Amino acid sequence: MKRDINFTLKNKEITRQRYESLYLPHIAPLTRWVQSYKKNGTDMPWFDPADGGINARILILLQSPAKSELSPRFVSQDNPGPSQQNLNRFLKQAKIKRQNIIIWNTIPWLMPTNTKIIPTRENINKGLNIIKSLMPLLKNLRVILLAGSVASKTRIFLKKNILI
């Protein structure tokens, strides 16, 4: 069952509201974190303010940002693509509340339009170093859900370097 496009980030009003919410207390530290990477030349999407932000207990780690013409870009279950629709459906069926999650990508940087990110070991390692710098902001984190084959390749690194 497809979601109504009016309730996704393809709706410019919803996207505008999310962008204006980037400095709410639960998301502002993550916004500043993304800005620090953008300032140094690594373009990354924003975290979705509709999610739990720094209060999240579950990190859902996906592969990489989907190709999209949307701007600004968010890592969100409300993106209009089929993977995000499946994630949205899964979270609803599992009764996982948005305030309990945060979504990010194993390879988090954005590529030019219509350019695909190749999940090489080098790209995954670069992504893991970025994720490692994210972890101190997620003090309530209890679970990391590795969604997909690329994210699952991070398991050993996460066990050794992130998880206690």
Side-chain angles (χ1 to χ4, degrees):
M1 180 169 109
K2 283 193 170 188
R3 290 170 63 202
D4 184 336
I5 205 74
N6 292 317
F7 297 101
T8 70
L9 290 174
K10 202 157 190 170
N11 179 317
K12 291 180 191 291
E13 179 60 21
I14 292 173
T15 301
R16 183 190 63 74
Q17 290 170 0
R18 300 283 169 89
Y19 189 75
E20 290 176 355
S21 299
L22 285 174
Y23 288 96
L24 292 175
H26 76 288
I27 206 78
L30 299 171
T31 298
R32 288 189 294 273
W33 180 82
V34 168
Q35 283 175 325
S36 73
Y37 277 92
K38 287 178 178 279
K39 198 180 295 183
N40 289 319
T42 303
D43 192 16
M44 296 195 297
W46 303 108
F47 288 91
D48 190 338
D51 293 338
I54 60 170
N55 302 317
R57 298 174 57 78
I58 303 167
L59 167 63
I60 300 172
L61 197 57
L62 306 175
Q63 177 177 317
S64 57
K67 292 183 197 177
S68 177
E69 302 286 331
L70 299 177
S71 182
R73 298 284 303 274
F74 290 90
V75 179
S76 175
Q77 63 180 298
D78 294 328
N79 281 322
S83 296
Q84 293 79 10
Q85 290 180 26
N86 287 337
L87 178 59
N88 184 280
R89 191 171 27 260
F90 161 77
L91 293 170
K92 284 183 178 173
Q93 288 173 351
K95 295 182 171 52
I96 297 173
K97 296 178 182 174
R98 285 194 85 145
Q99 69 259 27
N100 290 325
I101 68 160
I102 189 166
I103 304 170
W104 197 239
N105 292 298
T106 303
I107 303 170
W109 56 90
L110 296 169
M111 296 293 287
T113 306
N114 296 323
T115 304
K116 186 175 180 175
I117 296 175
I118 307 298
T120 62
R121 173 53 49 198
E122 182 182 342
N123 282 340
I124 292 169
N125 287 341
K126 182 179 173 186
L128 283 168
N129 284 326
I130 293 171
I131 291 166
K132 191 173 182 179
S133 74
L134 169 66
M135 289 299 131
L137 299 175
L138 304 177
K139 297 185 186 329
N140 295 326
L141 194 64
R142 298 293 174 262
V143 174
I144 300 175
L145 182 97
L146 305 176
S149 62
V150 173
S152 69
K153 291 177 182 177
T154 68
R155 181 179 327 246
I156 293 170
F157 176 89
L158 292 172
K159 276 185 174 181
K160 285 182 182 176
N161 296 288
I162 307 296
L163 304 175
I164 299 169

